[in-house]
Amino acid sequence: MKPILYIVIPCYNEEEVLPITKDLFLNKLKELISKEKISDSSRVMFVNDGSKDSTWEIIKKLALEDEHFIGITQSRNRGHQNAVLAGLMEAKDKCDITISIDCDGQDDINAMNEMVDEYLEGSEIVYGVRSKRDTDTFFKRATAEGFYKVLNIMGAEVVFNHADYRLVSSRVLNEFANFKEVNLFLRGMFPLVGFKSTSVYYERNERIAGESHYPLKKMLALAFDGITSLSIKPIRMITSFGFIVALVSFIFIIVSIIQKFVGTTVTGWTSTIAVICFVSGVQLICMGVLGEYIGKIYMEVKHRPRYIISERTEDLKEKDK
């Protein structure tokens, strides 16, 4: 029996790029259907993440024009990770596999063929991984690759050069639904589910239209969220660093006492101020990291919903009837 595929596409203020890339997604879906790799019941699902432009109106129009297009919209903007999660959770009971991909057309859509093939051969998760970053600037390439390396060093298990372009089976999604974190970092959470996984490699293109919604500031915030959501290694590093500072301070005290007795001490405020500033700075950094964890605990214990769907194109079609 041919599997049902849902292509899940988060959208935020994509009125410029959506009219261009929608044909790419539809044609790829129909190609996979014609090759009898997936069922004709497969769909392209757009997830509107509270866009302020006409993105949702475009999605509704597409859904009326072709049954292979469907869409849902969140009640407000909640961020890329929550939008992807909303689409996956909405799709998991309607299909056998999902492929999440951004709307901007940068990820090579032809990699979907290999993803589906890997699923048919037994893989439950297939990660789309960039083979190279030749189109990136030196700064972008350095920061992006450093992003993955730092995450792994800090204990967040991620696939190098993989973002959120991946195939996931409904079996995995049913287990993933048991992960109740409010602070989401999907590319680090899916490896925790387990099951057989593999990777396919592709070259990324330039954005077709519009502007990127992931500048350096957001990338850094995402990295910090990933580290603090998936690992307690920073706290352990603080503890180790605290012991080192305490040891150095203890040695410094002993040396000072010895110098006092042998009469070689030099009275001065510079060394005193330097030590005070150093220790104070360490304390403030440690308090900041601990505060970040406490803040995440605060958000988690509230158990607020991670997404709220306000409309579905399928419901709108029913009203029209």
Side-chain angles (χ1 to χ4, degrees):
M1 186 175 180
K2 295 186 288 290
I4 299 173
L5 165 67
Y6 270 47
I7 302 175
V8 177
I9 307 167
C11 304
Y12 178 66
N13 293 344
E14 301 287 8
E15 64 179 7
E16 292 184 38
V17 72
L18 189 54
I20 303 173
T21 56
K22 51 97 173 175
D23 289 329
L24 295 177
F25 299 124
L26 182 60
N27 291 339
K28 176 54 62 178
L29 191 78
K30 290 184 175 180
E31 175 193 329
L32 291 169
I33 292 172
S34 66
K35 291 181 177 179
E36 298 188 345
K37 290 181 180 293
I38 60 175
S39 167
D40 186 56
S41 299
S42 299
R43 298 289 182 264
V44 175
M45 174 187 280
F46 295 107
V47 183
N48 178 44
D49 187 25
S51 298
K52 297 177 182 178
D53 59 10
S54 61
T55 297
W56 180 234
E57 298 304 317
I58 295 172
I59 293 172
K60 289 192 289 185
K61 182 180 178 182
L62 292 175
L64 291 174
E65 293 174 351
D66 194 307
E67 64 177 1
H68 290 102
F69 285 126
I70 60 174
I72 59 176
T73 183
Q74 298 208 83
S75 59
R76 51 155 296 186
N77 175 251
R78 301 182 69 90
H80 178 271
Q81 298 291 279
N82 295 74
V84 175
L85 178 71
L88 295 178
M89 293 299 101
E90 282 282 307
K92 70 181 177 67
D93 296 325
K94 303 174 183 177
C95 65
D96 301 297
I97 48 176
T98 63
I99 295 179
S100 56
I101 185 173
D102 288 342
C103 186
D104 54 22
Q106 287 188 276
D107 294 316
D108 183 9
I109 199 168
N110 292 316
M112 289 187 184
N113 296 59
E114 191 175 349
M115 287 182 172
V116 174
D117 288 340
E118 292 290 351
Y119 167 76
L120 294 174
E121 291 178 10
S123 294
E124 302 280 353
I125 305 175
V126 184
Y127 300 104
V129 178
R130 293 185 65 172
S131 58
K132 54 184 179 180
R133 289 182 171 271
D134 292 348
T135 58
D136 291 348
T137 62
F138 172 79
F139 179 76
K140 172 66 175 177
R141 182 166 58 252
T143 54
E145 292 181 350
F147 166 81
Y148 292 100
K149 291 176 182 177
V150 169
L151 283 172
N152 280 302
I153 290 171
M154 289 296 180
E157 183 182 348
V158 294
V159 177
F160 188 73
N161 272 340
H162 162 71
D164 287 297
Y165 186 20
R166 74 180 72 85
L167 177 148
V168 183
S169 71
S170 59
R171 180 186 180 193
V172 171
L173 288 177
N174 286 326
E175 296 300 330
F176 189 78
N178 295 319
F179 286 61
K180 303 299 183 181
E181 289 97 323
V182 173
N183 301 285
L184 297 174
F185 186 67
L186 298 179
R187 67 189 72 174
M189 293 170 67
F190 274 105
L192 299 177
V193 183
F195 294 100
K196 183 180 179 181
S197 64
T198 189
S199 299
V200 300
Y201 296 86
Y202 68 95
E203 294 184 22
R204 205 161 194 243
N205 306 310
E206 295 288 345
R207 185 180 175 90
I208 292 178
E211 297 180 355
S212 171
H213 301 305
Y214 255 98
L216 179 61
K217 182 180 178 181
K218 281 192 175 183
M219 184 63 71
L220 290 174
L222 182 64
F224 201 62
D225 278 344
I227 293 168
T228 53
S229 297
L230 297 171
S231 173
I232 61 170
K233 196 169 183 178
I235 293 180
R236 290 175 177 169
M237 292 175 67
I238 286 174
T239 303
S240 301
F241 189 57
F243 278 117
I244 293 172
V245 171
L247 178 62
V248 172
S249 300
F250 181 69
I251 294 172
F252 181 77
I253 291 170
I254 293 175
V255 171
S256 300
I257 293 173
I258 293 172
Q259 288 179 333
K260 175 70 175 178
F261 281 110
V262 299
T264 60
T265 56
V266 177
T267 303
W269 62 272
T270 304
S271 60
T272 303
I273 294 299
V275 171
I276 291 173
C277 290
F278 174 71
V279 174
S280 299
V282 170
Q283 288 177 332
L284 288 173
I285 292 172
C286 295
M287 288 176 63
V289 174
L290 292 172
E292 183 69 22
Y293 276 96
I294 292 171
K296 282 194 164 40
I297 294 170
Y298 174 67
M299 295 300 295
E300 293 291 345
V301 297
K302 289 181 178 182
H303 294 296
R304 287 178 177 173
R306 296 175 291 182
Y307 61 90
I308 299 174
I309 304 302
S310 59
E311 285 184 84
R312 296 172 175 83
T313 56
E314 293 161 306
D315 295 337
L316 297 174
K317 289 180 181 179
E318 289 297 323
K319 288 182 181 179
D320 291 340
K321 291 180 181 179

